[in-house]
Amino acid sequence: MPFDLSLSFLAPIVLLLAALPLFARPGKRPGALPRLSEAAALVAFGLTIGGLVEAILGQAEGIAAGSGLFAVGLRADLVAATMACLVGFIGWIVMRYSRTYLDGEEREGLFHALMLATLAAVLVFAQAASLTTLAIATFLVGLTLRKLLLFYPERREAHRAATKFAIVWHFGDVALVAAAGILALTYGTTDLAALAASVTAQGIDLAATTAIACIVIAAGLKTAAFPVHGWLTEVMEAPTPVSALLHAGIINSGGVLLIANAELVQSSSGAMAALVMLGGFTALFGAAVMLTQSAVKTALAWSTVSQMGFMLLQCGLGLWTLALLHIVAHSLYKAHAFLSSGGAVEDVASIRRPGPVAPADLGAVLKSFGLAILLYGGIAFAFTALFGPKSAQALALGTILIFGVAYLVAQGLADRAPMELTKRTAMASLATAIAYFAFHVLSEAAWGPLLPAAPVPGDLEWALIVVAVVSFGVVAFAQALFPQWAHHPSTAGLRVHLANGLYMNALLDRAIGGFRTTRSN
């Protein structure tokens, strides 16, 4: 049994040791223990940095124990080390913020203890070397996070959100356990590396396909994909540090699960197609609803729904390195967004604008899309000449991103747009296109050797690529023209429906009794 211990494996132990005295003093202002929790998080972050350095230098291996369904362990490759370092950094920032944010709360000590325990479980999940370890870690995350969501137990909305979270999250756990059991019976192990090797050598049968479907279902449930997204938009009754940890770290669990099982998932074309369809629709749906929200934190929650859908789309296209990069970037952005949400209105109001918002007409929008695509094509050609050809999936994903750039360009090409706005949008478009390909090259260099390359698209894959590109293009085009039809009477009704998420959340509300009222005699 290999036992070259990575420093990052010690991080969960440090966090759990620091949580013990806080569990013993769960009340208000437990002395210096909140500072201890922050220090423990900082030490854990330092250990994950050490683990990342070891992974880069190739000086650490994973640990493993057990066999078959009971195979457990942690891995120390660069993918796992990157995720552990990300979790360590987010955890330290959140715990530092929590020390002052929760000062004086009645259950301050318990809050810090639960946060540290949750971080420890997430760190184990990020470094898990088997499906069994993944299932155990994600179950523990669900238990501790539910208690954090009920930090204010007197709030009825908190109970409803926590119940919905528990139902969706633990159904995902059941799916993951089912996948582990089926794969253990089929291949004799749940070790991720052994499963990847077995699938490569033997292929997949009906049982393995069923297990892969369970993994995809678990990933969809844990990323709050449509139509079970409602719980993620209703957890704002918990303290802000909980929202930051959830949206910046825990919600990425589905993506981490898929990336850890990339070889296995990519062996099933049906699973990849399901991820493209589910992820693409969730991304569009979440983005549309986000634009109708007036509350900052609620808009951020819908943004997370959309971003997680886009990450599932990347996995379905086989762009595993870009999906991993997306997780890193989204985590850093969303942690900052939630922790700074209190001053968001003032920050936006203080931004110096180059002039009034210029609504673009049809001609400006058509020109913007044409220019953005030409710009993208030129940069794609340059990067292909310098670094080699790109897959069809990578080019398609870049096209989808450039549609968002086209919306910015349209503002700069409007007849009444000031010249400074035109310059800004042009520079933003150029920077976005260059950044996409540059980050793609860097992510491939860092994680490409550890993850499967995007598959050669067949007829099904081409059809899905075309549908995805056209769908995102149509939505971006309609959004760019929104000022032209925003005052139509039907728009007010559409806005109301979108603001309520097309009422899909009501189905889960009914399932758990969310609409029940006490009848009076």
Side-chain angles (χ1 to χ4, degrees):
M1 179 182 71
F3 202 81
D4 294 326
L5 190 64
S6 169
L7 289 175
S8 60
F9 297 166
L10 300 175
I13 299 174
V14 170
L15 295 175
L16 289 176
L17 289 176
L20 292 177
L22 285 159
F23 277 118
R25 295 186 61 183
K28 181 190 297 186
R29 293 200 172 97
L33 291 181
R35 291 187 178 275
L36 173 65
S37 68
E38 179 189 340
L42 179 58
V43 171
F45 175 42
L47 289 170
T48 60
I49 293 176
L52 180 61
V53 172
E54 289 177 329
I56 294 173
L57 298 177
Q59 295 179 349
E61 296 182 8
I63 57 174
S67 60
L69 180 60
F70 303 103
V72 294
L74 300 175
R75 68 190 199 279
D77 58 48
L78 190 55
V79 172
T82 300
M83 294 309 305
C85 192
L86 175 66
V87 173
F89 176 69
I90 298 296
W92 171 53
I93 294 298
V94 170
M95 294 308 300
R96 179 177 175 82
Y97 183 90
S98 300
R99 183 169 60 82
T100 53
Y101 185 89
L102 271 294
D103 183 44
E105 290 283 351
E106 290 298 328
R107 299 195 299 160
E108 180 182 352
L110 180 62
F111 177 87
H112 288 285
L114 289 172
M115 287 287 283
L116 290 173
T118 303
L119 280 171
V122 174
L123 278 169
V124 172
F125 183 86
Q127 302 173 90
S130 72
L131 277 175
T132 303
T133 309
L134 285 168
I136 294 171
T138 188
F139 175 73
L140 294 175
V141 170
L143 290 182
T144 54
L145 183 57
R146 184 177 184 276
K147 292 183 178 295
L148 285 169
L149 294 178
L150 290 172
F151 184 72
Y152 298 115
E154 69 279 3
R155 298 181 181 180
R156 181 182 177 186
E157 294 81 0
H159 280 272
R160 185 173 70 174
T163 301
K164 292 165 74 171
F165 161 76
I167 291 172
V168 174
W169 189 268
H170 291 308
F171 262 110
D173 294 339
V174 171
L176 190 53
V177 170
I182 295 171
L183 291 171
L185 290 174
T186 304
Y187 297 109
T189 184
T190 61
D191 180 80
L192 300 180
L195 285 173
S198 298
V199 167
T200 302
Q202 305 173 28
I204 58 172
D205 55 13
L206 179 59
T209 301
T210 303
I212 294 170
C214 289
I215 292 174
V216 171
I217 290 171
L221 291 171
K222 291 183 181 298
T223 52
F226 181 91
V228 293
H229 56 276
W231 66 266
L232 185 61
T233 63
E234 295 184 357
V235 294
M236 302 307 165
E237 295 298 323
T240 295
V242 178
S243 298
L245 180 61
L246 173 59
H247 288 262
I250 295 173
I251 196 63
N252 295 314
S253 298
V256 174
L257 173 63
L258 291 171
I259 292 171
N261 293 276
E263 291 279 2
L264 187 63
V265 174
Q266 190 161 299
S267 66
S268 171
S269 59
M272 299 291 279
L275 287 171
V276 170
M277 292 185 288
L278 177 64
F281 184 82
T282 301
L284 291 173
F285 172 72
V289 177
M290 178 195 69
L291 296 174
T292 66
Q293 303 301 309
S294 56
V296 174
K297 292 176 69 174
T298 305
L300 288 173
W302 280 104
S303 167
T304 300
V305 172
S306 179
Q307 291 293 330
M308 290 300 100
F310 200 73
M311 185 264 298
L312 292 178
L313 171 65
Q314 291 170 315
C315 292
L317 292 174
L319 302 173
W320 302 104
T321 58
L322 285 177
L324 180 55
L325 180 64
H326 188 162
I327 289 175
V328 173
H330 176 261
S331 295
L332 297 176
Y333 155 70
K334 201 54 64 76
H336 173 268
F338 268 98
L339 296 180
S340 63
S341 60
V345 175
E346 291 82 358
D347 291 342
V348 172
S350 65
I351 295 176
R352 187 179 68 86
R353 296 171 176 80
V357 176
D361 56 17
L362 179 60
V365 171
L366 289 173
K367 286 190 293 184
S368 70
F369 272 74
L371 288 173
I373 291 174
L374 285 175
L375 176 67
Y376 174 72
I379 294 175
F381 177 80
F383 270 86
T384 298
L386 290 172
F387 301 102
K390 303 297 179 185
S391 66
Q393 294 92 325
L395 293 174
L397 186 71
T399 303
I400 290 173
L401 292 176
I402 214 67
F403 286 150
V405 172
Y407 171 76
L408 294 177
V409 176
Q411 308 303 308
L413 293 179
D415 292 337
R416 291 184 294 168
M419 182 57 66
E420 186 177 351
L421 179 60
T422 303
K423 292 179 180 178
R424 285 190 185 183
T425 55
M427 292 302 298
S429 305
L430 181 63
T432 301
I434 293 175
Y436 170 71
F437 285 106
F439 280 120
H440 189 194
V441 170
L442 292 174
S443 63
E444 284 291 333
W447 306 305
L450 300 173
L451 296 170
V456 177
D459 293 340
L460 175 61
E461 288 77 13
W462 275 116
L464 291 171
I465 288 172
V466 171
V467 169
V469 171
V470 171
S471 298
F472 278 87
V474 169
V475 171
F477 193 82
Q479 182 182 357
L481 284 174
F482 181 76
Q484 303 298 326
W485 51 277
H487 301 293
H488 193 278
S490 62
T491 304
L494 177 62
R495 182 182 179 86
V496 171
H497 299 319
L498 284 176
N500 288 279
L502 300 182
Y503 311 102
M504 292 303 301
N505 197 25
L507 298 176
L508 189 55
D509 277 334
R510 287 184 180 276
I512 66 171
F515 285 164
R516 293 177 186 170
T517 56
T518 303
R519 294 183 178 180
S520 58
N521 296 326

